[in-house]
Amino acid sequence: QQHPIDASGVLEAAKFGNWDDFNTRLLGHSDLSFADFNELPPGRSFGVVHQISYNGSRDALEKLLDLHPGVDLMLPTKQGQTALQVAQESSDKNGDFIKYLKERMQQQQSSTNKWQYWIDDAVDGKKTGWHDYTKEGSIKVQQLYKNYQQQKTATPSKNSEHQIKIGNFTYILDLKKM
C-alpha cells in the first residue's frame, strides 16, 4: 500500500514545483493529516517540506502550514538534512524564502503548547495528577483544538468530545472544557 503522501500526488507535485497541481491535491485530500507529512514515505529521500524548500516556494509552504500547522519543519531527510539545509544548498534559492523558513521554524519551536492529561487510576504506574503529552501528542491535541475552535465559530457543534490515539493509549478529550 502506498504512503498517503505518495498516493495523493502532493509529494510529486512539490518535487517538480507544479504549484497549481500541488494546491489542488493538497486541498483535495482532506484525509491527509500533519502526521502524514512528518515522515518520509518508504523509498523517498525527501518529504514534502524538503521538496518545497528545494524549490523555494513560500506560497506552497504557507499553504501547507496553514492547512497542517503540525508539520515538523525539523523533519530530517534520509540524509539527515533539515528543510533549511536543503534550501540553503539549492543554488537557485532566494534569500526571502530562507528568511521566511527560518522565521516559521523559530515560531514553531517557540509556540508549541504544552498539553497535559489527567490520570487518577494509576494506569501505566503513573501517580494521580497531570502528566505531559509527548511532543507528538501535544501536536495532535493542538491541531484538534485548533480545528474545533475554527468549527465552533463557523457552526457550533453539540459534540465537543473526541477520542485521540497517541502511542498505545486512547484519550477522551472534551474540547468545550479546554
Side-chain angles (χ1 to χ4, degrees):
Q1 183 178 346
Q2 256 189 331
H3 188 279
I5 297 300
D6 278 329
S8 69
V10 172
L11 180 60
E12 203 70 14
K15 179 178 181 177
F16 293 108
N18 186 342
W19 303 121
D20 288 337
D21 188 37
F22 173 82
N23 288 331
T24 300
R25 290 176 181 276
L26 189 64
L27 292 170
H29 284 274
S30 59
D31 56 323
L32 294 174
S33 76
F34 76 93
D36 295 322
F37 293 94
N38 286 346
E39 59 186 24
L40 298 178
R44 298 286 191 161
S45 296
F46 278 21
V48 172
V49 72
H50 306 111
Q51 297 293 0
I52 291 171
S53 296
Y54 179 83
N55 287 303
S57 175
R58 178 181 174 148
D59 290 342
L61 185 59
E62 284 179 352
K63 177 73 74 181
L64 176 64
L65 294 175
D66 284 348
L67 290 173
H68 303 284
V71 170
D72 185 1
L73 296 175
M74 295 301 293
L75 175 73
T77 65
K78 189 174 183 179
Q79 294 76 26
Q81 294 179 299
T82 65
L84 179 60
Q85 291 168 321
V86 169
Q88 289 170 330
E89 287 184 9
S90 179
S91 60
D92 60 347
K93 208 58 51 244
N94 63 44
D96 289 338
F97 175 80
I98 291 173
K99 181 180 175 188
Y100 175 72
L101 178 58
K102 284 180 179 178
E103 288 170 4
R104 291 303 300 251
M105 291 173 83
Q106 286 178 326
Q107 288 173 358
Q108 196 174 68
Q109 290 172 347
S110 65
S111 69
T112 303
N113 290 329
K114 180 178 179 178
W115 290 95
Q116 297 181 318
Y117 57 93
W118 178 261
I119 292 273
D120 61 3
D121 59 1
V123 73
D124 208 26
K126 294 183 179 179
K127 295 180 181 179
T128 297
W130 290 100
H131 298 271
D132 295 343
Y133 280 108
T134 62
K135 181 180 178 185
E136 174 193 4
S138 285
I139 291 170
K140 283 183 178 182
V141 172
Q142 179 66 29
Q143 179 71 34
L144 187 63
Y145 185 67
K146 181 180 178 187
N147 290 344
Y148 171 74
Q149 290 291 81
Q150 290 171 344
Q151 290 172 356
K152 187 173 81 171
T153 56
T155 53
S157 171
K158 294 177 184 169
N159 185 10
S160 64
E161 280 195 11
H162 295 271
Q163 288 188 0
I164 186 167
K165 184 166 176 56
I166 302 169
N168 295 328
F169 297 97
T170 300
Y171 301 87
I172 298 172
L173 305 174
D174 187 344
L175 299 173
K176 190 184 275 185
K177 293 182 179 179
M178 294 178 140

